[in-house]
Amino acid sequence: MSALGARVSQRNVPVPPESEGGILGSAYRVLSIGIISVIFLIAFEATAVGTAMPVAARELDGIGLYAFGFSAYFTTSLFAMVLSGQWADREGPLRPLTVGIAAFAAGLLLAGTAGAMWVFVIGRAVQGFGGGLVIVALYVVVSRAYPERLRAAIMAAFAASWVVPSIVGPLASGAVTEHLGWRWVFVGIPVLVVVPLVVALPAIRRTASGPVDPDAPPAAFDGRRIRLALGISVGAALLQYAAQDLRWLSLLPAAAGAWLLVPAVRGLLPRGTYLARRGLPSVVLLRGVAAGAFISAESFVPLMLVTQRGLSPTLAGFSLAAGGLTWAGGSWIQSKGRMAPYRERLMVVGMVLVAFAIAAAPAVLIESVPVWTVAAAWAVGCLGMGLVIAATSVLLLELSAPEEAGANSAALQISDALANVVLLAAGGAAFAALGGGAVGAVHSVAAEGAGPASHPAAFVVVFLPMACVALVGAWVATRLHGERPEPVAVPA
């Protein structure tokens, strides 16, 4: 029996013939459309919420809790990722996916109807819990429902699902916020979730439900991993809090956060991850290095353009819009079957492109450098991210036994989210320490046209270290080769 046949026999799912085409062929069309639609709506919400958040915080008299509207989402999603991985490995991805979509929608409704900022933050936390359940469950669906030859294509489709939201999301959110109110940005999306839910769930039930081995007794939840997941969430929240308050007393929550994070990370990520051990550990590490360096730098691009070059927030945001297209292009390139033997080399090239883009962005701090230079550089960086991010997902599933797909997918997402939290906190602390302007000062300066609100060195100290982190990622990308697990067929 072939490797694909052995894996599929464990799930009692027939192997579709090659003639049935790709991810939109007759065997996979309904499933692909359903799960891609779910990713599309999550992407639209993620790109739209940043536009509505300042208005929501101001109307709810909660500027002091503004940052927690973002951090609450990430901290609960870290916990949910571990839970979802165990749940999906134990019972299949259907239940965590269903519960996750319901929680995501409930969180949106709670945030959209909040009468106080603390209720809004709770809504974002519920939403993050749902998002963490959904993303890991979808990876398990891909692992179980699609043969290996189609996984790169479906991951490229996931990336392409972010193109339209990344371009249209901020503009649509701004228009809705201005004409209908910020609440509609949150309460409108849950209604749209119903359609992909109805489409996807029956297909998932047919192709990917249940445990890998239905005849084996269900494995118990690993209480230790659940406790570690709680520790990583609380630790990340403490680090974020400490990074926002640069006082000596902030060392206490920072130390407590590190004390919780270190054992949690060591227990939840594959052994040897932070030593860049070859194979799966390096795949997980690369995902965090790439996402953390890129997102941490990207968060400061609009602020740099507004405060240093006088662009409006809308124009500053649109300077990143072309990146959605090049990101999808990179994902498409790595998804082609003829590129499979060169995937690791493409990932090295991708990380070099990311490092170049991050290092080139602060050139706009020189007045003689055209502003469009940032847009061009960021398009190059997004091309590199497209080559890397989708490929790490594909390699992870290739290096994971079917019964470990959930736990390993959770580790990949944890590495991604945790690197975002830690590097954003480090970058934000360095930015503030070198005279970075406060949000309120930025808005007042932009409104009055009074010139720069932040010292240029504050931006340089963010971008150049992140470029160095990306170069480390290029080295990690040379260590991704590892032995694939041998699937064991279940006796008939």
Side-chain angles (χ1 to χ4, degrees):
M1 181 181 294
S2 68
L4 174 58
R7 290 191 182 191
V8 173
S9 69
Q10 293 180 333
R11 303 187 296 274
N12 298 319
V13 180
V15 180
E18 295 290 324
S19 61
E20 293 189 348
I23 61 174
L24 294 180
S26 58
Y28 303 103
R29 184 181 301 120
V30 173
L31 176 62
S32 297
I33 291 174
I35 62 177
I36 289 171
S37 298
V38 172
I39 293 292
F40 178 87
L41 290 174
I42 291 176
F44 188 85
E45 187 279 335
T47 56
V49 70
T51 304
M53 189 78 80
V55 180
R58 185 172 61 247
E59 289 192 7
L60 295 174
D61 194 24
I63 295 296
L65 297 176
Y66 176 81
F68 291 98
F70 292 98
S71 62
Y73 183 99
F74 289 114
T75 53
T76 54
S77 66
L78 282 168
F79 174 76
M81 288 169 188
V82 178
L83 177 63
S84 183
Q86 290 203 38
W87 199 352
D89 285 341
R90 185 176 185 268
E91 300 180 12
L94 185 61
R95 288 187 180 178
L97 181 61
T98 305
V99 173
I101 291 176
F104 189 81
L108 284 168
L109 290 173
L110 183 58
T113 58
M117 189 62 183
W118 66 269
V119 178
F120 181 89
V121 171
I122 291 175
R124 290 286 290 164
V126 174
Q127 185 188 346
F129 180 79
L133 290 176
V134 168
I135 191 64
V136 172
L138 285 179
Y139 272 60
V140 178
V141 170
V142 171
S143 171
R144 295 191 180 192
Y146 293 86
E148 191 170 305
R149 67 183 179 87
L150 295 180
R151 290 177 187 164
I154 191 65
M155 291 300 177
F158 282 3
S161 299
W162 284 77
V163 174
V164 174
S166 66
I167 298 172
V168 178
L171 180 62
S173 176
V176 169
T177 300
E178 181 178 353
H179 297 290
L180 298 177
W182 65 268
R183 296 182 185 275
W184 285 99
V185 176
F186 292 89
V187 302
I189 293 178
V191 178
L192 303 177
V193 172
V194 174
V195 174
L197 189 65
V198 171
V199 171
L201 291 186
I204 294 173
R205 184 177 291 109
R206 290 194 305 270
T207 59
S209 62
V212 174
D213 183 1
D215 299 324
F221 280 99
D222 188 338
R224 176 178 174 273
R225 289 182 66 84
I226 298 297
R227 290 191 297 272
L228 290 175
L230 183 60
I232 205 172
S233 296
V234 175
L238 289 172
L239 281 182
Q240 287 177 316
Y241 172 80
Q244 295 174 34
D245 187 16
L246 294 179
R247 297 183 301 170
W248 287 109
L249 288 178
S250 299
L251 292 175
L252 294 178
W259 180 76
L260 289 170
L261 274 178
V262 171
V265 168
R266 294 184 64 183
L268 293 173
L269 299 186
R271 187 183 298 274
T273 294
Y274 288 106
L275 296 176
R277 185 171 297 171
R278 289 189 177 274
L280 183 64
S282 286
V283 173
V284 172
L285 176 61
L286 178 61
R287 179 59 165 262
V289 169
F294 186 81
I295 298 301
S296 298
E298 185 180 59
S299 300
F300 287 88
V301 170
L303 182 62
M304 179 173 63
L305 293 176
V306 169
T307 61
Q308 303 301 306
R309 297 301 297 264
L311 269 66
S312 69
T314 301
L315 287 177
F318 273 121
S319 68
L320 306 177
L325 294 172
T326 56
W327 191 312
S331 298
W332 178 80
I333 290 171
Q334 68 81 36
S335 73
K336 307 305 291 180
R338 62 179 178 273
M339 292 296 180
Y342 311 105
R343 185 167 287 127
E344 287 87 348
R345 296 181 188 177
L346 287 174
M347 296 168 79
V348 175
V349 172
M351 289 309 303
V352 172
L353 294 179
V354 171
F356 165 79
I358 296 175
V364 78
L365 294 168
I366 303 172
E367 288 291 332
S368 60
V369 175
V371 173
W372 56 260
T373 302
V374 173
W378 222 247
V380 172
C382 286
L383 174 64
M385 288 294 286
L387 292 172
V388 173
I389 296 299
T392 57
S393 303
V394 173
L395 286 176
L396 177 111
L397 296 178
E398 290 180 0
L399 295 170
S400 300
E403 66 276 7
E404 297 175 346
N408 289 342
S409 296
L412 189 75
Q413 297 300 324
I414 288 170
S415 179
D416 186 319
L418 185 61
N420 284 337
V421 170
V422 173
L423 291 180
L424 268 172
F431 181 75
L434 270 76
V439 173
V442 169
H443 282 292
S444 63
V445 168
E448 298 169 5
S454 304
H455 195 280
F459 290 97
V460 174
V461 81
V462 171
F463 285 96
L464 294 188
M466 296 306 165
C468 293
V469 172
L471 285 177
V472 172
W475 171 76
V476 175
T478 65
R479 302 179 58 79
L480 304 180
H481 179 73
E483 297 182 0
R484 301 184 184 184
E486 289 293 333
V488 180
V490 178

